[in-house]
Amino acid sequence: WFHTLTTLNITSSSLEWIITFFNISTAPCLQEVKVQVVNTSDQESNFPLIPPQLLHAFCGVLPAHPSRDSIDSIHLVLDGERPPPADDHVKDGPPNPNEFQVYRSKHFEPLLRLSSLCELHVRSWCGVYPTDAFLARASRAWPHLSALSFKWITVSEPERIEGHRNIMILRPRMRRVPVYPHLHPPAATLAGLIPLARSCEDLRHLCLYVDAEELPQDDP
């Protein structure tokens, strides 16, 4: 299927459907993969967050795909929101961190098998927390990395879906931010950036939530 396809842009409300599509697709020369999981219906009801296990399953199908040696760019948008926290949390103190979903290094680890990857952009409605160990492995797995971005969708903004001709605005959705990134301490530190700086000479764009309080130690 799609033997000459080099760029794939999928927008769906179901990551399960997208995983199935990749499992049956045999395109051998994909280079750019754009996946947006958003609420495509006209209903304004809360669109559930993508479970971490499902995200891990999606990341796992890419290294098994016939294009695994040619994929050099991944753009992943994971929309979704849980109901706004109850007003009671204001008087009872900050929300419990365990109540909020996060994505961690282990959910993205299958992507480390994509040796040609140059760009990884992840935008999510919940926190993404890679570790220093993950960044060190990424610096070895992706020597030609030019962009690494783990970014929160933290502002009310119109939904934009990329069409075949241009960008089509479906509808504005003004939303309250349901996620509190500061509740979870960053898993990465400034020391974790050193392997990227040393090994990824083409790195031009970096967006990452790190703990900047502890300074890295000088090499002996």
Side-chain angles (χ1 to χ4, degrees):
W1 289 25
F2 310 113
H3 291 290
T4 60
L5 194 67
T6 59
T7 300
L8 179 62
N9 190 344
I10 300 180
T11 297
S12 174
S13 61
S14 171
L15 189 56
E16 293 95 332
W17 183 91
I18 295 174
I19 291 173
T20 300
F21 178 87
F22 273 97
N23 281 329
I24 64 175
S25 168
T26 58
C29 53
L30 273 179
Q31 297 176 5
E32 187 174 18
V33 174
K34 294 183 178 181
V35 169
Q36 299 183 87
V37 184
V38 299
N39 186 2
T40 57
S41 74
D42 293 330
Q43 302 298 320
E44 291 296 332
S45 59
N46 291 314
F47 184 61
L49 293 172
I50 303 300
Q53 297 82 358
L54 191 58
L55 172 61
H56 183 266
F58 168 75
C59 292
V61 301
L62 296 181
H65 193 270
S67 293
R68 59 185 172 272
D69 294 329
S70 61
I71 294 176
D72 59 20
S73 177
I74 297 175
H75 294 252
L76 183 59
V77 177
L78 301 173
D79 196 6
E81 57 187 346
R82 62 178 66 244
D87 294 337
D88 291 341
H89 83 265
V90 176
K91 59 185 178 182
D92 295 337
N96 183 351
N98 295 326
E99 295 178 355
F100 297 93
Q101 179 171 294
V102 298
Y103 300 134
R104 303 192 184 279
S105 296
K106 61 183 180 181
H107 304 126
F108 296 96
E109 281 182 354
L111 299 181
L112 294 173
R113 303 203 299 271
L114 299 177
S115 58
S116 297
L117 195 65
C118 296
E119 295 187 17
L120 176 60
H121 300 270
V122 179
R123 294 182 67 237
S124 169
W125 203 243
C126 64
V128 181
Y129 292 82
T131 63
D132 286 352
F134 177 85
L135 296 178
R137 292 180 61 192
S139 69
R140 298 190 296 269
W142 305 326
H144 303 295
L145 189 67
S146 61
L148 180 63
S149 176
F150 294 111
K151 190 174 182 181
W152 289 278
I153 305 174
T154 56
V155 295
S156 298
E157 58 186 14
E159 286 191 14
R160 301 175 185 272
I161 306 301
E162 294 190 18
H164 293 290
R165 297 180 181 177
N166 207 328
I167 294 179
M168 177 174 58
I169 302 178
L170 293 184
R171 63 186 182 279
R173 292 173 59 206
M174 302 305 291
R175 300 177 292 188
R176 281 189 289 169
V177 178
V179 176
Y180 301 79
H182 63 276
L183 293 178
H184 293 272
T189 68
L190 289 176
L193 302 181
I194 294 177
L196 292 175
R198 289 176 173 171
S199 301
C200 302
E201 298 180 354
D202 298 327
L203 189 61
R204 299 188 302 273
H205 177 82
L206 182 63
C207 181
L208 186 65
Y209 183 43
V210 301
D211 182 354
E213 292 186 1
E214 183 176 348
L215 298 177
Q217 299 296 321
D218 294 334
D219 291 337

